[in-house]
Amino acid sequence: MSQHIRLATPEDYPRIMEIWESAVKATHDFLAKEDFNYFKEAIPKDYLPHLEVYLITENNEAQGFASVAESNLEMLFIHNDIRGKGYGKALYQFMKEKTGLTKVDVNEQNPQAIGFYEKMGFKKTGRSEKDGSGKNYPLIHMSL
């Protein structure tokens, strides 16, 4: 596998959103349609331009992306077609070495993600009723 990790540019945003959409449809079936549409608009406009986003690519095609802000893993998404093949772990390990991240917030309704982070050594440290956008999706706070 010729995996490579690089910084994303605005030209990558359409592919990032394809990855996001495929991952979210597979793992976030709790997300209401209007909230899905809200994030689909907001992420490339309001989030990505302010974050350092890293892509994991296979043969030059992005298959996943991640971003860390202030030692919090803000996002880590892998395209659903290649989930379970070690890309998430490789990208996570890269981000950890690069940024020294120690925290992640995970949707309580996404048990697969909680399990993934537990495997990576995170412990649950708390819970919020609402997500970062103030929407009613409880978050589990996890820490290394």
Side-chain angles (χ1 to χ4, degrees):
M1 273 202 305
S2 54
Q3 281 182 5
H4 179 66
I5 296 176
R6 66 171 175 85
L7 213 45
T9 69
E11 286 74 66
D12 294 309
Y13 291 177
R15 176 61 182 163
I16 286 175
M17 294 314 296
E18 278 173 28
I19 294 167
W20 177 83
E21 192 162 328
S22 103
V24 166
K25 284 186 168 159
T27 57
H28 293 56
D29 49 13
F30 53 85
L31 199 60
K33 185 91 181 107
E34 63 268 23
D35 292 328
F36 178 86
N37 291 334
Y38 162 82
F39 285 118
K40 198 175 165 173
E41 297 265 295
I43 290 171
K45 210 169 66 227
D46 305 331
Y47 292 82
L48 297 178
H50 306 289
L51 292 167
E52 266 200 351
V53 180
Y54 286 88
L55 299 179
I56 187 162
T57 65
E58 171 74 50
N59 306 325
N60 288 324
E61 181 165 45
Q63 299 293 0
F65 67 94
S67 183
V68 169
E70 294 166 7
S71 76
N72 199 52
L73 181 61
E74 294 290 336
M75 39 178 89
L76 192 161
F77 290 94
I78 300 296
H79 197 288
N80 191 48
D81 293 351
I82 55 133
R83 235 155 37 104
K85 299 203 171 130
Y87 287 85
K89 187 176 181 185
L91 187 52
Y92 166 74
Q93 283 166 339
F94 171 88
M95 297 304 286
K96 187 173 183 311
E97 277 163 38
K98 179 122 191 102
T99 66
L101 67 94
T102 57
K103 299 188 297 278
V104 64
D105 291 334
V106 188
N107 288 107
E108 186 174 61
Q109 293 145 295
N110 186 355
Q112 287 172 334
I114 294 170
F116 172 82
Y117 291 115
E118 285 176 335
K119 270 203 206 96
M120 299 298 127
F122 284 83
K123 304 261 183 291
K124 296 177 186 173
T125 55
R127 180 182 186 276
S128 302
E129 275 300 317
K130 295 183 188 297
D131 71 8
S133 316
K135 295 183 185 294
N136 287 316
Y137 298 109
L139 290 179
I140 298 295
H141 308 297
M142 302 181 78
S143 190
L144 285 173

